[in-house]
Amino acid sequence: MFLQQIVNGLVIGGVYALFALGFTLIFGIHKIMNLAHGGIFMTGAFIGLYSVQAGLPLWLAFILAMIGAGLVSVIIEVTAFRRLRQSGEVEFSALISSIGANLVLVSIAQMLSKTQVLRFPFDTFPVVIFKVWGLRVSALQLAMAVLAILLVAGLSWYLYRTGFGRQVRAVAQNERAALLAGIRPSVIYFQTFMLSGMLAGAAGVLVGLAFNSIHFMMGDPFLLRGFVVVILGGLGSVAGALVASLGFGVLQTLSVAYLSSRLSDIIIFGLLFAVLLLRPNGLFGQDEAGVLRGRR
Amino acid sequence: MDTLLSFRPLFDLFLIHLGFAYSQYIVLRAGAFSIGNVGLSAIGAYTAAILTVNYGLPLPVTLLAGAFAGLAFGALLAIPLARLRGVYQAIASLAFVQIVLSANLYAENVTGGAMGFSGIPKLVGTGTLLVFALATIHVMLAISRSRLGRAFDAVREDEGMAVSLGINAARTQAIAYMISGLLAGLFGSLEALHSYAVEPNQFGFHLIIVILSYVVLGGRRSVWGPLVGVALLIALPEISRPLADARIMIYGLILMAVMNFMPRGIVDTLVARRTRAANPEVRQAEVKG
Amino acid sequence: MTDLVLEHVHKNFGGVIASNDVSMRVPAGRITGLIGPNGAGKTTLINLITGMLSLSSGRVLFGGRDISAEPADKVARAGMGRTFQNIRLQKEASVLANVMVGFHRHETCSLVAAILGLPSSRREDALLRQKAMALLGRFGMAGHADSPAGSLAYGHQRKVEMMRALATDPDLILLDEPVAGMNDVEALQLGRIFRELADEGKAILLIEHNMRFVQELCDHVYVLDGGRLIAEGKPRDVVADPAVITAYLGEE
């Protein structure tokens, strides 16, 4: 039973990772907190659902959702952030601007869904349960795990093994130096926002399938969890976000299973608070040495 | 007269949210990126509600208790948050808000849990709210003109510079947290004693976003920034009422547009433009720099 | 008299020695110079004195009291003012506001009075405004009182930093390249003010590249190279010291 909960937690954690990686990508590279990320995730779920309802096969709907969410993310970069980057006031103004973008997405979804909770048709994904060593694993869980692994591996390959990825990481380390070296910022922003949106879109469809519930407000709780994962994992760290997401998924599943679900949030956020006090830059973060108060 | 009366609930909301906005403003002014004030409002609201309903204490006592509870927790929050900076501070304070929220959900026999705490008598009307809101504006202006305001500005702009002038940065920010807690607790209490009931989710992520929008949109340096932000964002849904379903979208688009064209917020951007017009040298320096 | 005394001050950053057994004395009523090529560790030394950095070993005595372990704000309140090599001002605030922050440690009105805007707070504000204007007058900056500090020319910004440091009414002032970016006339004008301050009994530690300025102004000069003191004495003698000449020429 305990092992079963661990497996369930890992699968959920994998989906959290897809959501959180996109969020941490933007934060780590551009130092922008994109509060519209929850809305992009929700958009992915809606595109997936409407594609299936239009009669397309699930795999195609999944791909369309990823591309659609990626494009929405790029549009948000252009409309909500591009002008702010030049103003030197990005930290706060980008927060509010992305809240605005999120509201636009939420409002469109609310009108489309008429404030209803929507579901995928019953037979969208075959209900098959495998039993391995006494553990029950559904085909959907298996598919979620495989897709999460593939996408995370793809992202790592992209960031660490390709020329584009090298440029992106150069911008993350020192945007000005990278620009002097001839890297065009608009190209970088396009890539990171596209990738970030695609991952969120994938997470949206998977979450919609797993919980069989899609609604216009589904992004908010994920955004909260995204914060937790990003901070615990250290900003911009792919490996950190992955480990933190999986740990978070397991922790949440276990605390819901063995304690009250209402205690689960107290534990998770209490833990986050404690971790930040012990490691002011996150579990895997590097010391940014910004403290000037005492003698160093 | 009837139409005027129909705007009264909206005006009350404006006054309460003005207090919340200033409790957010004052920590940002001191350079601390904490959004914990929403949790402190919840603590104030529940303190006032419980003391009024369960113990039958009179209004001045409950308001004082609510404000003091906010102040005390604000002071406590300042200690751990002093170790953090920037976005880490924001996330830790967000965790604090979530912990308060979850605790209110969990402690059902004290707080009423998810159903909320209801049956609170309405002891606070527009007049009381107006008095407290005006007093808050007065205090904000007084702080601005005092050594405290100068210390806040110095710590926010450059902490290393501030300490070189003998300013104790941690203590200065702790004072900001306490003032913020006092306002949050007070206006949380007023909210509870004005609206018959409180429930945990009312003081969550959504309220954080709303309050942060007021302050950043209006301007987070000038005292008048939050006032303009609250007035605009409270009036907006009413003005756009004929648009019905598209109201939220308009709200979102306006947030985006204002930030795009006035990235420092409305009041601060206007102030900067006026200073620039009055000091032609500034333009020169900008061209050079 | 509030003298500053450094005893065997040592600092290493993970193996790199930034300050090597430095002992020196900055007496009240005198202008003491600290020179050395770029990267000699002058600013590190200032940061060690003012409490921005912690010492690896050694002591810093100020007015006979050991302040080596005290945090920067406490050191400042003990009566030490400084300027920064890379000017650090509140760029958007007015010159007057920038100077007024300097009065912080002498403000006496209570916190409650400040928060509630009681008359005592307002009286203090008005008084400090006057004092700040007097300082501005002394530096010939009265006409710039309301300009945003960031809009001023480089030399003027340095003056704002000095006025702010003076507003703390320090017993010791550490000036990190105060005349960089100024012409000779301006530098001379400032030199006169520094001399007046020393005559009032303040101790002044002057870090400067401009050798002519140092020679004209300083009573005593220390030369730092590679974190270590390589010479000290009267400015005239120091510039003739072969070790100093090598240190400077070696850099060229």
Side-chain angles (χ1 to χ4, degrees), chain C residues 65-77:
Chain C
R65 198 158 64 88
D66 186 353
I67 57 160
S68 338
E70 288 188 353
D73 59 301
K74 226 171 149 188
V75 172
R77 285 198 298 277

Side-chain angles (χ1 to χ4, degrees), chain C residues 25-78:
Chain C
R25 185 178 185 83
V26 183
R30 295 285 171 82
I31 301 178
T32 307
L34 178 63
I35 61 172
N38 278 328
K42 292 168 299 199
T43 298
T44 301
L45 202 59
I46 293 236
N47 284 334
L48 287 167
I49 296 169
T50 53
M52 302 295 275
L53 290 171
S54 63
L55 283 69
S56 300
S57 65
R59 293 205 301 168
V60 179
L61 301 170
F62 186 45
R65 198 158 64 88
D66 186 353
I67 57 160
S68 338
E70 288 188 353
D73 59 301
K74 226 171 149 188
V75 172
R77 285 198 298 277

Side-chain angles (χ1 to χ4, degrees), chain C residues 133 135-146:
Chain C
M133 283 310 293
L135 259 177
L136 258 64
R138 184 174 187 181
F139 281 77
M141 293 277 291
H144 294 285
D146 295 322

Side-chain angles (χ1 to χ4, degrees), chain A residues 27 33 35 79-84 87 89 91-93 95-97 99-101 103-104 107-108 110-111 220 223-224 227-228 231 234-235 260 262-263 265-266 269-270 272-273 276-282 288 290-293, chain B residues 28 33 77 80-88 91-96 98-99 102-103 105-106 108 155 158-160 163 169-170 173 205 209 212-213 216-217 220-221 245-246 248-249 251-253 255-256 259-261 263-264:
Chain A
F27 198 95
M33 245 214 220
L35 295 187
T79 54
F81 300 131
R82 187 158 283 184
R83 272 183 70 98
L84 297 179
S87 74
E89 295 270 325
E91 193 183 15
F92 283 93
S93 55
L95 279 180
I96 303 305
S97 189
I99 288 171
L103 286 176
V104 172
S107 158
I108 293 173
Q110 186 182 10
M111 285 191 249
D220 282 2
L223 197 60
L224 270 178
F227 288 141
V228 178
I231 291 301
L235 295 177
S260 149
R262 274 173 286 146
L263 265 181
D265 268 2
I266 299 191
F269 286 102
L272 173 69
F273 202 80
L276 277 175
L277 292 189
L278 297 173
R279 299 230 16 159
N281 291 298
E288 285 177 34
V291 185
L292 280 169
R293 266 169 201 173
Chain B
L28 293 181
F33 190 2
L77 191 61
L81 290 190
R83 287 171 49 85
L84 303 171
R85 289 292 176 282
V87 68
Y88 293 97
I91 302 289
S93 60
L94 172 68
F96 168 76
Q98 288 296 319
I99 292 169
S102 312
L105 280 173
Y106 185 68
E108 237 169 84
V155 172
D158 184 341
E159 211 173 299
V163 295
Q173 289 192 335
F205 191 51
I209 284 183
L212 207 55
S213 304
V216 177
L217 189 93
R220 63 201 157 83
R221 295 183 180 87
D245 282 352
I248 298 179
M249 195 189 298
Y251 192 98
L253 287 173
L255 289 187
M256 286 170 80
M259 291 290 69
N260 263 301
F261 295 99
R264 295 159 166 226

Side-chain angles (χ1 to χ4, degrees), chain A residues 48-59:
Chain A
L49 175 74
Y50 286 130
S51 304
V52 167
Q53 282 180 350
L56 297 177
L58 184 60
W59 63 268

Side-chain angles (χ1 to χ4, degrees), chain B residues 41 44 59 77 111 148 160 167 181 196 204 210 287 289:
Chain B
S41 297
L59 180 68
L77 191 61
T111 61
L148 199 55
I167 297 171
Y196 304 104
V210 168
V287 173

